[in-house]
Amino acid sequence: MIKTSGLGYTYPGGASLFFPDVDVAQGTVLLLSGPSGCGKSTWLALVAALVAPTSGSLTVAGQTLDALKSVAADAWRARAIGFLPQRLHLSTALSVYQNLAMAQWAAGQPEDAPRIHAALQALGVPELAQRKPGQLSGGQAQRVALARAVLLQPQVILADEPTASLDDAAAADAVGLLLTTAQAQNATLVIATHDARVAQRVPPGASRQIVLQPSYILHKPL
C-alpha cells in the first residue's frame, strides 16, 4: 500500500512541490498523470525512498519512509520496490542474466539462477539470457528491465513513462505486461505518464487516477 499526507519536496535552491494525499490499497493500479514537469518522477522517487520528503508523511508497503536513513532505505528498496525507470539502466558490460543477478546481490540475496530464468520466461524472453543489452531491441530491453524490476516479487512496482517513444502496438504491449505482472504478484502498480493511451489500456474500474497540475509547484523568488 501507499499512503501520503501533506507530502512535499523542495529542490535545493529551487522549486517546492506539494502533492495531493494518496491512500492506495495493496494490489491497486494507480495512474499518476499530468504534463511534463509537474512532479511525476519526483513523486516516484519519494515513494522509492530515492529522495526524502521535506514535509508530510509517507508510508509504503508498511514502512514509514520519512524517518528512514539512507543505508536502511537502500536495503528496504531492494526488497520492496520494483522500479522501471524511463532510462532502463541496464549495464552494457554484463549479460542479461548478470543484470538480473545484480538485483539479487543488491538485496543481499544469493544468486538464484532458477528464479532469474523463470522471470525471463514469464516476460517471454528466456532466449536473451546470455546477450548483452546492446544486442537487444527496444522492446526486448524493456522486457528485460521489467524482469529485473519484478525479480524479487516486490510489493510495489513503479513505472516512469513506460510508453514514451513507443508506437501504439509496443505501448499496448508494455502496459499489458505491467498489468499482468503486477496482478500475478499482487503488487501495487503505479504508472506515471502523460500518455493518454495508457489509461485506455487499463480496464475500467481497475485503477485510480491522480492528475498532478503545475499549480502544485511553488517557485522560490530569485
Side-chain angles (χ1 to χ4, degrees):
M1 58 82 109
I2 303 172
K3 186 173 184 178
T4 73
S5 178
L7 188 64
Y9 178 75
T10 299
Y11 293 100
S16 294
L17 303 178
F18 297 94
F19 299 100
D21 293 347
V22 170
D23 191 351
V24 181
Q26 186 66 30
T28 300
V29 179
L30 174 65
L31 299 182
L32 190 69
S33 60
S36 297
C38 68
K40 298 188 298 296
S41 294
T42 300
W43 193 90
L44 293 183
L46 288 164
V47 169
L50 292 169
V51 296
T54 50
S55 63
S57 63
L58 172 60
T59 301
V60 181
Q63 175 66 56
T64 301
L65 299 188
D66 35 298
L68 200 61
K69 304 302 181 184
S70 59
V71 174
D74 291 342
W76 170 83
R77 184 187 315 109
R79 297 191 306 271
I81 300 294
F83 206 153
L84 187 65
Q86 289 189 54
R87 295 185 179 182
L88 302 180
H89 299 299
L90 296 172
S91 175
T92 58
L94 301 179
S95 69
V96 164
Y97 177 94
Q98 291 167 330
N99 268 279
L100 270 66
M102 281 185 63
Q104 295 178 323
W105 303 334
Q109 298 185 7
E111 182 179 323
D112 186 339
R115 175 174 281 192
I116 291 172
H117 288 298
L120 292 172
Q121 179 70 45
L123 272 299
V125 286
E127 74 282 2
L128 303 181
Q130 299 308 317
R131 294 191 194 178
K132 297 289 182 66
Q135 299 172 303
L136 307 179
S137 68
Q140 289 173 330
Q142 190 169 53
R143 285 173 179 257
V144 168
L146 180 55
R148 180 185 61 184
V150 302
L151 178 65
L152 302 180
Q153 297 186 324
Q155 293 170 272
V156 178
I157 300 171
L158 306 175
D160 194 1
E161 299 287 0
T163 60
S165 303
L166 298 181
D167 61 27
D168 288 347
D173 185 49
V175 175
L177 283 171
L178 285 166
L179 292 172
T180 55
T181 303
Q183 184 179 36
Q185 299 188 358
N186 191 36
T188 299
L189 171 62
V190 181
I191 304 177
T193 183
H194 65 274
D195 186 347
R197 298 175 300 177
V198 174
Q200 296 170 358
R201 293 291 174 179
V202 178
S207 69
R208 292 183 54 195
Q209 184 167 6
I210 293 177
V211 180
L212 299 185
Q213 302 289 349
S215 59
Y216 295 137
I217 304 174
L218 297 181
H219 294 278
K220 293 183 177 181
L222 296 177

